[in-house]
Amino acid sequence: MRGGFSMVWGGVCVMVARHASMVAAGARYGEAMTTWEYLTAPLLIHNTKAILDNFGADGWELVQVVPGPDGSSLVAYFKRPKG
């Protein structure tokens, strides 16, 4: 993956992509930008709270949860400031 890396977390291979985005919508010219890194991970239904707590303890903020490609699982999207 260009601009990202893979890691194993909790026995699951997780792809991490890196992108930049504005701190807030409508930020004015010349204001500082926050650079974010993003993480996509499968979310196991039987252990959801523990998984989310672990990501949160590592500084990841949950952005969205969507159905997985098979329709029976969930995929969680996280972000945190780089650095």
Side-chain angles (χ1 to χ4, degrees):
M1 175 188 339
R2 186 176 178 186
F5 62 92
S6 298
M7 67 180 189
V8 175
W9 185 84
V12 177
C13 182
V14 178
M15 301 301 289
V16 177
R18 298 171 188 262
H19 302 279
S21 62
M22 297 300 280
V23 173
R28 292 185 211 113
Y29 178 76
E31 288 185 2
M33 289 178 55
T34 298
T35 303
W36 300 95
E37 60 181 329
Y38 297 90
L39 177 119
T40 305
L43 190 57
L44 304 175
I45 305 283
H46 69 276
N47 205 15
T48 305
K49 182 181 179 334
I51 292 169
L52 294 175
D53 284 347
N54 283 329
F55 278 116
D58 288 337
W60 293 102
E61 177 183 344
L62 179 65
V63 175
Q64 182 175 13
V65 176
V66 298
D70 63 2
S72 66
S73 62
L74 296 174
V75 177
Y77 290 83
F78 300 88
K79 73 175 185 178
R80 70 179 174 189
K82 264 188 183 179

